[in-house]
């Protein structure tokens, strides 16, 4: 194979790999969004994760507004959030229940969605290209 053909092939492969990543991420976030809805997280946190679900006003401490990463008591990276979902968060009398019945993968996907809500709070960020 001529050198130029090899170079073209490498460039095409590199571009394909790069394009694939946002696509995969948006699929993960979309699956996380559906799990978030199916598991009733919005009842407390609100569907946009702003801490304003229908029962939020009755809770003390209040449910987290996911845009406020500094308010998190545990870590804010995907595995820490997935871990919080496994254990729940009740040490200060809060009513954040444990989602131990979900799989590790499901908790990870929900965590990705929670993080996407934080990222989407700055204008223009977090939008998934649709091309
Ligand atoms: C019954 C209401 C309720 C439901 C349902 C609920 N949460 Fe929470 N959640 C809370 C409350 C209250 C807190 C704050 C607890 C505290 O500050 O001690 C919290 C905190 C959190 C935190 C922040 C953890 C930290 O480090 O501070 C995350 C992330 C979270 N919830 C995600 C979820 C997800 C995802 C779901 C659905 C799978 C969910 N919650 C369902 C009430 C709820």
């Amino acid at each position: 194979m001529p050198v130029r053909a090899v170079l073209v092939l490498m460039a095409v492969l590199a571009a394909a790999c790069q394009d694939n990543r946002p696509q995969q991420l948006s699929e993960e976030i979309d699956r996380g969004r559906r799990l978030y809805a199916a598991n009733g997280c919005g009842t407390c946190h609100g569907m946009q994760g702003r801490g304003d679900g229908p029962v939020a006003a009755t809770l003390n401490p209040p449910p987290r507004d996911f845009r406020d990463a500094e308010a998190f008591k545990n870590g804010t990276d995907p595995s820490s959030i997935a871990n919080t979902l496994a254990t729940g968060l009740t040490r200060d009398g809060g009513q954040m229940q444990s989602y131990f019945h979900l799989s590790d993968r499901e908790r990870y996907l929900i965590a990705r969605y929670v993080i996407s809500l934080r990222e989407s709070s700055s204008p223009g960020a977090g939008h998934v290209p649709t091309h």
Side-chain angles (χ1 to χ4, degrees):
M1 203 187 295
V3 174
R4 193 179 297 169
V6 173
L7 288 176
V8 167
L9 190 65
M10 282 168 66
V12 167
L13 284 176
C17 288
Q18 272 172 5
D19 272 346
N20 211 15
R21 240 175 290 141
Q23 171 80 26
Q24 257 175 16
L25 192 60
S26 75
E27 276 165 22
E28 285 186 354
I29 290 171
D30 196 51
R31 287 188 56 199
R33 181 180 57 73
R34 277 179 272 142
L35 285 163
Y36 180 93
N39 284 285
C41 312
T43 314
C44 297
H45 293 281
M47 279 321 291
Q48 305 300 317
R50 296 179 175 177
D52 59 357
V55 307
T58 68
L59 300 174
N60 183 24
R64 195 70 66 250
D65 178 341
F66 297 137
R67 294 170 299 176
D68 187 4
E70 301 212 330
F72 279 53
K73 295 176 180 175
N74 298 335
T76 55
D77 58 291
S79 59
S80 298
I81 294 176
N83 194 46
T84 300
L85 295 178
T87 60
L89 181 59
T90 54
R91 62 177 177 256
D92 301 322
Q95 292 184 49
M96 173 60 204
Q97 66 204 72
S98 151
Y99 286 84
F100 64 89
H101 58 285
L102 297 179
S103 68
D104 286 346
R105 177 71 182 156
E106 288 169 323
R107 285 190 290 261
Y108 172 80
L109 291 169
I110 297 175
R112 284 293 324 151
Y113 176 64
V114 165
I115 291 168
S116 79
L117 295 173
R118 180 205 317 160
E119 290 162 353
S120 66
S121 67
S122 55
H127 285 281
V128 178
T130 49
H131 59 264

